[in-house]
Amino acid sequence: GDACEIAAGTQLDTNLNGTPDNCETGIVFTYCTAGTSMNGCVGALNASGTPSAAATSGFVLIGSGLEGQRQALMFYGINGPKAQPWAAGSTSYKCVRSPMKRVDPANTGGTAGTCSGIYIVDFLAWLAARPTAGGNPLVAGRVFNTQVWYRDAAAPGGGNLTNGAQFTMAP
């Protein structure tokens, strides 16, 4: 068999489908538990496009259902997933294994006191503009784990987290 068949059962398989994560190029899936904010928001992280090592844009990560008019940022890592309580008493889980890198903060927009906030980043464009950022140079098979944090002053730890998203770079 090929390297992926040989590695089956011995490598990380976060979505438990029998295929090692680094062999599922171009695949994006969500995992882990999002927290609930003081206004009842449960943020969700999703993606649009294909994560490709050959592209310099076109793979967009979208955190939606966030508290409106709050500061948010995305963080990511290349060392696998994690599911650890964010803070004592928090409903959020940290879904990315350290060390983590941060993507630029932004205001979520929307209306304060509602779940209309969003955080959007073209992850490939962001990495292309930062050649020394973690995960560069991009190669097919590299697995990324991502999550969005947003300010929620009433929450334990001062913020909440979306679910996590994992994707593997395609060629």
Side-chain angles (χ1 to χ4, degrees), residues 29 31 51 59 76-80 96 123 127 134-139 141-146 165-169:
F29 66 90
Y31 67 99
F59 177 63
Y76 71 96
I78 58 172
N79 292 316
V96 178
F123 192 65
L127 284 173
N136 273 328
L138 293 179
V139 295
R142 177 160 290 146
V143 179
F144 286 82
N145 295 84
T146 61
Q166 179 172 296
F167 54 91
T168 304
M169 284 293 160

Side-chain angles (χ1 to χ4, degrees), residues 92-109:
S92 289
Y93 281 81
K94 180 178 149 191
C95 305
V96 178
R97 186 173 308 281
S98 295
M100 298 176 293
K101 304 295 183 187
R102 294 181 187 185
V103 175
D104 303 329
N107 187 286
T108 61

Side-chain angles (χ1 to χ4, degrees), residues 144-165:
F144 286 82
N145 295 84
T146 61
Q147 189 170 27
V148 173
W149 169 92
Y150 61 97
R151 174 75 57 207
D152 183 4
N160 271 300
L161 300 165
T162 64
N163 58 305

Side-chain angles (χ1 to χ4, degrees), residues 37-43 63-72 106-119 150-153 160:
S37 75
M38 67 181 195
N39 289 311
C41 303
V42 180
S64 60
L66 311 177
E67 289 273 347
Q69 294 300 318
R70 299 296 174 104
Q71 196 70 357
N107 187 286
T108 61
T111 303
T114 70
C115 304
S116 59
I118 59 171
Y119 179 88
Y150 61 97
R151 174 75 57 207
D152 183 4
N160 271 300

